[in-house]
Amino acid sequence: MVSVVYEAPDSIEGAVNLLANADVPAHILAGGTDLIIQTNGSSDAERLFVDVKKIAGMTEANLTDTALVLGPSMSCAAFTECDDIKAVFPGLVEAAYLIGSTQVQGRASVGGNLCNSSPAADTIPALIANGAQCVIAGPGGERTVPVEEFVTGVGRNCMEKGELLKQITIARPAANTSDAYLRFIPRTEMDIAVAGAGVSITLDDNGTCTAARVGIGAVAPTALLVPDAAAALVGSTLDDAALQAAADAASAASSPITDRRGTVEYRRQVVGVLVKRAATIAAERAKGG
Amino acid sequence: MAKSHVSTSINGEPVEYLCDPGDTLLDVLRNELQLTGTKEGCGSGDCGACSVTLNGRLVCSCLVLGVEAEGAEVGTIEGVGANDKLHVIQEKFLEHAALQCGVCTPGLIVSTKALLEENPNPTEEEARYYLAGNLCRCTGYDKIIRAVMDAAETMREGA
Amino acid sequence: MSEAQEFKYIGQRTIRPDGYDKVTGRAQYGADLSLPGMIWGRTLRSPHAHAKIVSIDTSKAEAHPDVFAVVTFKDFGSVEGESINAGEGAADVLDLARNCLADDKVLYHGHAIAAVAARTERAADDALDLIDVKYEVLSPVMDVEDAMKEGAPVLHEDMFTQGYEETPSTPSNIATRLEMKMGDIEAGFAEADVIVEREFRTPTAHQGYIEPHACTARYDEDGQSMVWCCTQGHFDVRTSTAKLLGLDLSKLKVVASEIGGGFGGKTVVYQEPVALALSRKAGRPVKMVMNRDEVFIATGPTSAAKLKAKVGAKKDGTITAMQGWMAYEAGAFKGSPMMPGVMTMFTPYDCGNVQVEGFDVVVNKSKVAAYRAPGAPQAEFAAEMVVNEVAEKIGMDPIELRLKNAAKEGTQTIYGPKLKTVGLIECLEAARDSDHYKSALADGCGRGIAAGFWFNIGGQSSVSINMNTDGTGTILEGSPDIGGSRASMQMMAAEVLQIEPSNLKPIVADTDSLPYSQGTGGSRVTFATGMAVIEAAEDVVKQIKERAAAIWNVTAEQVDYADGVAINTAGEEKMSLAEVCQAAEKTGGQISGTGNINARGAGPSFAVHLCDTKVDQETGKVDVVRYTAIQDAGKAIHPSYVEGQFQGGAVQGIGWALNEEYIFNDDGVMENPGFLDYRIPLASDLPMIETIIVEVPNSFHPYGVRGVGESGIIPPLAAVGWSVGDAIDRKVEELPCSPPRVLSLIQNG
């Protein structure tokens, strides 16, 4: 069993200091829904947990005139209660709502989901679709990374020793823009995504798509931004042919594996179906909004 | 490894305990505090048998560290209902035969209480989705959902 | 009993007596007992599916400062191969011991090898890492096809197939071959206008109880010992544990805790003998609680099976021949439920030409345990799918086809006796006339129907009813209450004594307090233990009459007993039960009734289920949109808990049909040992489960009871399977109907 050292600093500097100077494997404790299970299965003798939830701003969300500034450790349950955010980013909120059970949402956070860097993370395709930026604090100060570049591999991300995710920011979208996130699971709840798709759509007054972003999950080592799928949608009225072209582009961009949750063939096919369906929902919302 | 000292509140009463920093809140409740009404079904947040509230939020106590309860308010099954009287939800679970083996029942009751505090008038579908993280293998959920809906109605009438 | 009876308490929906403890968290389950000085036991498990154990070195673990004891197979002492009653049916003691702790071979991933008792659970886990086991890894065999092949790696060098006229001289993974037949199968098929034959597969599935196995054991200086555990049969835990540790039965008390589900999976021992061996060595009480992954890899499950079914019928719907073949995985040791599979496969049909052949096959998976109607769901799945296809081919309604061929009183079974009164026809008629069956099917949906048959068992039950001086009483029963049976015991005793049920407190007594009682299984408790309760209550009534007679100076025959009152038919006097109990001191001492029986005459319970599903044609995902479970209860003692059994069985069957399956990698390691990826149904996956209770009384029970616990898991496999096929215009041959499999069926046929 791992011997745990627990610290709960009240400032970013304090957290960075602890993380940078740790002489045992150091982990950021946000909701803990992944970390506590992983620690139980770990062969580490000792681990440092830095609980970041006592740091100001880490568990809050603020939607301004220009952007959403999301404290990465805000619980999904609290996040999904923010009606103002839901009105602007319904797909992102849906993605947060899909993580685990009500109980898990009481602890799990968007930032935790991102930093755990699972290929199947629900919020990452939705963050990608919305062009989210990750603000990372570290011993050398702050840097900002686009979300699609944050995750670098299965369970790996671009954060170096001593760094932590301080904020997730998303610019307010243009008028007539909305998003949607869909995932496929065998049951109705509680499963890890077999495939996921987040789509953001901007329409002009005639219902023609002027901009789109498509993120897909669980079909490659990291969630992917799929420009080809977006390109297939832009310029169209999201007719069947355009949707199918986007679906095909998503399937083509995927490089899934076969595991206990799905096969290569199945995932490749279903991710296309999800892109099609999510794009349709996002477009409906963009019209309505 | 030195144990950590934690001051918290459980079911409205101040409680202090020592725990290993790696111990989960579930370990502490069951093994240190003998509050064994909270059950362990999986230890990984997949069954809901260990459901408690932490500062009013429904959580799996197997996914919370004991040290994280410092300064917090924890609610367990032992705090549902008064000493001499069952909570309406508990009564309705009995009335509707919403339990067979009963091991998932404490978690379901804690979750139902959280549901009805958030949403006093849930649809059947909302109740089913809110409680999706509470596994029951005996009942097929039918009588549980009937008990929840009846409790909601009774609580609304009493409110 | 044969005619409808009037009841005062039976049939009411009372509040269960153990309910308050369960909704408040007070009820104590397997893991909830702690004792002074208690330490924690943990188990070292095999990382390999099949390997020889070359050596086990426990010295480093023993040297760990927090460790009190380490045990291996050697600590069981001399165990010999002999058959004992260890749960649902007989078990070989040596196999049992080798399953609790491996001897010279590990036979599945997760097979227990050694156990450690230490001051804390963490320390015990740490010490497990210090045990050095050297293995010679062997190739695993993971399914019946591979296991039955010539030249397959053999699990047991001393196992030779039983059931052929001549026992083979080379060892094999086939433990037993069994054939049952009646009539002339060839002639039957020759008569048929339509013949349907298909091959089916069902996956390894787990009982999935929410409470992991747990026990606390204490071995005292004087050799007295105690085991507290969650079990379906604490007397059988005593038998098995005493045998493995070489104890007299009187020296071992087993206390059945509240039990958090079992469904057959808690009829056998895993940790109990190990914990007691640790306690004996450590001189401290030892608690052992499995993790969820241990539950999946090392307990349960039920057999994966490969099956064939062939059914012939005339154009008018008369079934002329039924033929089946099945190979069931037993797991690491012989003893799959293949035999009940053979016996039940075609029993819902009154057909004279039947032949079924079955094989019990060992593979490198955890030894299977009973699971709700063990063996029947797989076999009847194959049979019901083919019967539905026969109906489709001849253009007949599947319920009409079944009604035309339904088993009834006098139907010859393949396994010997003729059926007594049964309620299949009544269930089929209720299905036909149900709102569900009459409702139109929504677009894109499919509908399936299937029947199910399970024998139910009787067996030994021991009950005492101790009356108090105020006329209340305690019912001591020996059957662990897994789903509310204390309520029905209370009601049956109340019916005999004619007093309010709440005046009787039913408890599950420990093994020191009652004679042997068989475990809770085979849907036997409400039937058999209920009969024992009735007998014990009648014994109390008899004594009440005798005591009143003594007071009134008349003979017992001159005393009547009605509405809880003894009446002197030779005079005017009346005394209530409470008054007679109050006077017991003066009439010879306290009153206690006993009912120690071996119940015969368990009545089979037939079930018929209806299922509507909707299938997403692009993803293959299946939603159950409507479901109705119809079943014969004989007489429903507590209708709510009867419905609960129907619903729970139906939903376990739905899970088995839709998403539940063990997934193994090439090395035989289970890849989904948790509730995350072993996907049991959730509240949000299901509609309400409609129920119809059919009551065709069982003449062998005073109130007409039939066990209802098991039949309900049988029909869902085919009801769901057929419904899915109907929705996508394909034939399902393999379960589960998981999305990738269904999508592949849609796209590739």
Side-chain angles (χ1 to χ4, degrees):
Chain A
M1 294 288 277
V2 183
S3 180
V4 171
V5 177
Y6 173 85
E7 297 285 353
D10 58 8
S11 68
I12 294 283
E13 297 68 35
V16 166
N17 215 12
L18 283 163
L19 292 165
N21 297 319
D23 47 13
V24 297
H27 297 264
I28 296 162
L29 173 66
T33 54
D34 290 307
L35 180 63
I36 291 173
I37 298 170
Q38 287 161 6
T39 302
N40 288 339
S42 159
S43 56
D44 290 350
E46 199 173 330
R47 280 185 168 191
L48 169 66
F49 283 4
V50 179
D51 184 346
V52 294
K53 296 189 292 295
K54 298 208 160 71
I55 300 171
M58 289 298 278
T59 58
E60 288 160 21
N62 195 4
L63 183 66
T64 69
D65 290 345
T66 55
L68 167 65
V69 180
L70 174 61
S73 303
M74 180 183 207
S75 75
C76 290
F79 181 61
T80 54
E81 284 166 8
C82 300
D83 291 337
D84 56 340
I85 299 171
K86 204 171 173 178
V88 181
F89 302 106
L92 175 60
V93 174
E94 274 161 2
Y97 180 76
L98 288 174
I99 297 175
S101 58
T102 312
Q103 288 87 335
V104 168
Q105 285 160 27
R107 294 268 292 166
S109 59
V110 174
N113 197 226
L114 180 56
C115 292
N116 186 54
S117 303
S118 157
D122 284 306
T123 59
I124 302 178
L127 290 167
I128 288 175
N130 284 296
Q133 302 284 319
C134 308
V135 181
I136 299 167
E142 284 183 11
R143 62 189 178 110
T144 301
V145 176
V147 71
E148 57 270 25
E149 289 168 23
F150 182 86
V151 181
T152 54
V154 177
R156 285 184 292 125
N157 56 50
C158 69
M159 288 204 296
E160 305 286 339
K161 183 173 179 181
E163 289 190 320
L164 85 146
L165 182 63
K166 183 188 166 188
Q167 268 171 6
I168 298 167
T169 60
I170 307 177
R172 257 194 191 263
N176 299 324
T177 299
S178 196
D179 69 334
Y181 174 76
L182 292 175
R183 68 167 181 192
F184 183 82
I185 53 171
R187 292 181 291 188
T188 49
E189 269 283 359
M190 301 299 289
D191 295 328
I192 304 291
V194 174
V199 179
S200 170
I201 298 278
T202 305
L203 299 177
D204 67 13
D205 293 342
N206 303 319
T208 301
C209 176
T210 56
R213 281 175 71 91
V214 176
I216 57 175
V219 290
T222 67
L224 300 175
L225 175 69
V226 191
D228 289 352
L233 298 172
V234 172
S236 81
T237 53
L238 297 148
D239 51 287
D240 288 350
L243 290 170
Q244 193 54 51
D248 292 345
S251 296
S254 69
S255 55
I257 56 163
T258 292
D259 68 3
R260 63 193 178 277
R261 290 167 189 155
T263 60
V264 167
E265 303 73 36
Y266 185 76
R267 287 183 147 128
R268 188 166 281 155
Q269 225 178 103
V270 168
V271 77
V273 173
L274 295 176
V275 165
K276 211 162 60 178
R277 292 179 180 179
T280 306
I281 296 169
E284 282 303 315
R285 288 173 174 164
K287 275 178 208 160
Chain B
M1 175 63 50
K3 293 204 170 192
S4 301
H5 175 266
V6 176
S7 300
T8 187
S9 161
I10 298 179
N11 300 325
E13 292 179 24
V15 173
E16 291 180 54
Y17 55 80
L18 295 175
C19 71
D20 188 294
D23 285 347
T24 64
L25 179 58
L26 175 63
D27 295 333
V28 172
L29 290 172
R30 289 183 53 81
N31 299 333
E32 293 296 319
L33 305 174
Q34 274 71 56
L35 291 170
T36 56
T38 305
K39 304 300 178 192
E40 176 161 7
C42 70
S44 54
D46 298 313
C47 79
C50 69
S51 297
V52 301
T53 54
L54 182 68
N55 295 329
R57 257 313 154 211
L58 187 67
V59 298
C60 286
S61 59
C62 71
L63 295 183
V64 177
L65 296 177
V67 287
E68 288 183 275
E70 172 69 37
E73 287 186 13
V74 177
T76 73
I77 183 65
E78 286 87 354
V80 178
N83 284 336
D84 57 345
K85 188 162 168 33
L86 296 182
H87 190 281
V88 173
I89 296 166
Q90 293 169 316
E91 283 174 358
K92 292 300 176 189
F93 267 64
L94 288 180
E95 218 173 273
H96 287 270
L99 53 145
Q100 285 178 31
C101 83
V103 82
C104 69
T105 307
L108 268 157
I109 287 173
V110 168
S111 297
T112 301
K113 187 162 173 267
L115 162 67
L116 299 182
E117 278 165 10
E118 277 178 43
N119 180 2
N121 193 7
T123 62
E124 182 193 323
E125 190 181 19
E126 284 168 347
R128 285 184 179 275
Y129 274 84
Y130 193 95
L131 299 173
N134 288 89
L135 301 184
C136 167
R137 189 61 158 171
C138 294
T139 64
Y141 304 102
D142 181 298
K143 292 182 188 301
I144 292 171
I145 297 300
R146 288 178 200 278
V148 171
M149 300 307 284
D150 190 6
E153 196 183 329
T154 307
M155 286 165 70
R156 286 197 304 275
E157 284 163 5
Chain C
M1 81 126 264
S2 51
E3 291 151 40
Q5 299 182 66
E6 291 287 319
F7 294 109
K8 194 166 179 183
Y9 303 110
I10 301 297
Q12 290 186 7
R13 297 177 188 251
T14 57
I15 300 294
R16 60 193 281 171
D18 55 318
Y20 291 85
D21 283 350
K22 286 183 173 158
V23 298
T24 55
R26 281 195 302 268
Q28 284 201 298
Y29 290 80
D32 295 343
L33 179 75
S34 291
L35 296 173
M38 189 184 79
I39 55 176
W40 294 78
R42 295 285 298 150
T43 304
L44 180 69
R45 297 186 180 277
S46 171
H48 306 295
H50 194 191
K52 278 186 185 152
I53 297 176
V54 177
S55 64
I56 306 175
D57 180 356
T58 59
S59 56
K60 281 187 193 142
E62 282 157 14
H64 186 291
D66 287 332
V67 167
F68 285 75
V70 181
V71 295
T72 63
F73 179 80
K74 292 198 298 281
D75 291 273
F76 285 149
S78 59
V79 177
E80 285 168 23
E82 63 171 302
S83 185
I84 57 165
N85 193 349
E88 270 183 53
D92 182 284
V93 179
L94 188 56
D95 285 352
L96 197 66
R98 286 171 167 168
N99 196 38
C100 287
L101 288 171
D103 181 8
D104 51 352
K105 252 184 137 181
V106 285
L107 296 162
Y108 53 94
H109 164 235
H111 197 160
I113 297 166
V116 168
R119 201 177 307 279
T120 64
E121 213 172 357
R122 282 169 173 271
D125 266 325
D126 288 342
L128 294 180
D129 294 339
L130 302 175
I131 298 175
D132 185 21
V133 184
K134 295 220 168 9
Y135 301 95
E136 181 188 325
V137 178
L138 305 169
S139 299
V141 278
M142 299 305 294
D143 61 41
V144 291
E145 263 158 352
D146 283 350
M148 292 169 86
K149 268 185 203 148
E150 289 268 328
V154 167
L155 272 69
H156 303 282
E157 293 295 337
D158 57 351
M159 199 168 84
F160 302 90
T161 309
Q162 304 295 303
Y164 288 105
E165 276 181 28
E166 208 167 307
T167 301
S169 57
T170 49
S172 138
N173 293 321
I174 303 171
T176 309
R177 181 247 176 199
L178 174 72
E179 185 185 8
M180 289 189 180
K181 56 185 170 184
M182 59 183 180
D184 184 336
I185 193 77
E186 299 305 329
F189 282 119
E191 263 185 87
D193 297 317
V194 167
I195 294 175
V196 175
E197 181 175 13
R198 282 194 186 271
E199 194 172 303
F200 299 92
R201 280 168 191 285
T202 65
T204 304
H206 198 273
Q207 293 81 349
Y209 32 81
I210 305 301
E211 179 198 31
H213 296 257
C215 64
T216 298
R218 193 189 69 212
Y219 190 93
D220 295 342
E221 304 81 354
D222 56 358
Q224 294 291 337
S225 54
M226 186 282 294
V227 172
W228 157 284
C229 60
C230 50
T231 174
Q232 292 175 243
H234 48 317
F235 287 90
D236 294 324
V237 169
R238 183 178 64 169
T239 308
S240 302
T241 305
K243 188 61 86 176
L244 264 50
L245 272 70
L247 307 174
D248 294 339
L249 293 182
S250 67
K251 295 241 165 107
L252 173 58
K253 173 167 87 174
V254 180
V255 184
S257 70
E258 293 295 346
I259 174 171
F263 315 105
K266 287 178 184 160
T267 53
V268 286
V269 293
Y270 297 101
Q271 297 180 128
E272 293 82 357
V274 177
L276 193 56
L278 283 169
S279 178
R280 179 161 72 179
K281 225 167 174 174
R284 295 272 200 120
V286 174
K287 185 190 295 208
M288 295 185 83
V289 182
M290 283 193 198
N291 293 339
R292 176 53 55 182
D293 60 339
E294 295 180 280
V295 174
F296 275 112
I297 62 177
T299 76
T302 192
S303 304
K306 183 179 166 187
L307 312 106
K308 294 176 199 168
K310 183 177 175 186
V311 172
K314 293 186 191 169
K315 278 186 194 136
D316 71 352
T318 307
I319 293 176
T320 57
M322 308 187 97
Q323 189 174 31
W325 181 96
M326 64 192 73
Y328 277 34
E329 291 178 5
F333 300 95
K334 65 183 180 286
S336 74
M338 170 273 288
M339 188 157 83
V342 168
M343 292 161 79
T344 56
M345 187 167 190
F346 296 117
T347 303
Y349 301 93
D350 190 5
C351 172
N353 304 312
V354 186
Q355 187 247 337
V356 188
E357 185 181 23
F359 294 87
D360 178 29
V361 183
V362 295
V363 296
N364 290 113
K365 296 182 184 176
S366 173
K367 166 73 169 76
V368 301
Y371 181 21
R372 211 166 194 158
Q378 299 96 321
E380 296 189 56
F381 162 63
E384 294 297 297
M385 291 295 280
V386 167
V387 167
N388 280 337
E389 196 171 343
V390 167
E392 186 181 66
K393 278 214 160 142
I394 60 178
M396 196 168 180
D397 177 273
I399 296 185
E400 288 309 319
L401 179 86
R402 285 178 171 83
L403 277 167
K404 193 172 175 67
N405 297 282
K408 52 189 175 291
E409 185 167 3
T411 293
Q412 177 63 51
T413 64
I414 196 177
Y415 53 89
K418 290 185 171 157
L419 292 176
K420 305 284 192 293
T421 316
V422 290
L424 175 58
I425 289 172
E426 289 80 354
C427 288
L428 287 164
E429 288 170 346
R432 181 194 60 199
D433 299 339
S434 67
D435 178 56
H436 183 169
Y437 202 62
K438 288 182 188 158
S439 69
L441 197 56
D443 276 351
C445 291
R447 178 168 290 167
I449 176 188
F453 159 80
W454 184 247
F455 324 90
N456 296 330
I457 63 166
Q460 299 177 72
S461 285
S462 304
V463 169
S464 293
I465 301 180
N466 296 336
M467 299 307 296
N468 300 316
T469 50
D470 61 356
T472 64
T474 306
I475 305 165
L476 280 71
E477 57 158 322
S479 307
D481 177 357
I482 201 160
S485 61
R486 269 166 289 190
S488 50
M489 298 307 132
Q490 190 186 44
M491 291 163 81
M492 284 186 271
E495 193 68 42
V496 174
L497 297 172
Q498 292 286 295
I499 58 174
E500 284 296 320
S502 59
N503 285 338
L504 294 160
K505 183 205 277 183
I507 64 166
V508 178
D510 64 51
T511 57
D512 280 356
S513 308
L514 278 178
Y516 176 83
S517 283
Q518 258 169 268
T520 298
S523 302
R524 64 177 293 277
V525 172
T526 307
F527 170 73
T529 307
M531 278 170 81
V533 164
I534 292 166
E535 193 166 311
E538 283 170 346
D539 189 14
V540 170
V541 170
K542 178 171 161 277
Q543 293 173 47
I544 295 288
K545 288 182 183 173
E546 287 167 359
R547 301 305 182 87
I551 292 167
W552 296 327
N553 209 14
V554 296
T555 67
E557 290 70 35
Q558 290 173 300
V559 178
D560 263 358
Y561 184 80
D563 290 327
V565 177
I567 304 148
N568 183 1
T569 59
E572 295 288 309
E573 297 100 324
K574 290 183 178 181
M575 280 180 90
S576 70
L577 172 89
E579 286 166 337
V580 177
C581 287
Q582 205 169 11
E585 183 186 3
K586 294 171 204 149
T587 57
Q590 296 303 317
I591 296 167
S592 172
T594 57
N596 300 336
I597 65 166
N598 189 358
R600 309 269 175 217
S605 178
F606 280 96
V608 174
H609 288 194
L610 302 170
C611 174
D612 293 355
T613 57
K614 188 174 170 73
V615 180
D616 183 332
Q617 303 284 337
E618 287 185 309
T619 64
K621 183 167 173 167
V622 177
D623 278 325
V624 176
V625 294
R626 189 165 185 184
Y627 202 96
T628 304
I630 301 138
Q631 192 177 325
D632 179 13
K635 174 68 199 173
I637 299 296
H638 193 306
S640 297
Y641 290 99
V642 169
E643 291 160 0
Q645 289 297 321
F646 293 5
Q647 292 164 334
V651 169
Q652 280 189 318
I654 290 170
W656 196 345
L658 285 185
N659 278 309
E660 294 181 32
E661 62 178 324
Y662 274 42
I663 300 166
F664 293 93
N665 71 11
D666 292 344
D667 297 323
V669 172
M670 186 185 181
E671 292 198 311
N672 58 334
F675 283 133
L676 185 61
D677 288 304
Y678 184 88
R679 304 180 186 99
I680 74 171
L682 314 170
S684 50
D685 292 342
L686 295 160
M688 290 295 185
I689 306 296
E690 297 164 57
T691 57
I692 300 174
I693 301 176
V694 169
E695 293 186 321
V696 176
N698 168 19
S699 58
F700 293 90
H701 185 279
Y703 300 148
V705 165
R706 297 173 192 274
V708 295
E710 294 170 284
S711 303
I713 198 174
I714 302 165
L717 278 63
V720 173
W722 186 265
S723 171
V724 170
D726 189 36
I728 61 173
D729 198 21
R730 296 282 187 276
K731 292 286 172 286
V732 168
E733 291 184 314
E734 185 169 4
L735 299 180
C737 292
S738 56
R741 186 167 288 138
V742 173
L743 188 64
S744 164
L745 260 182
I746 291 170
Q747 295 178 339
N748 310 319

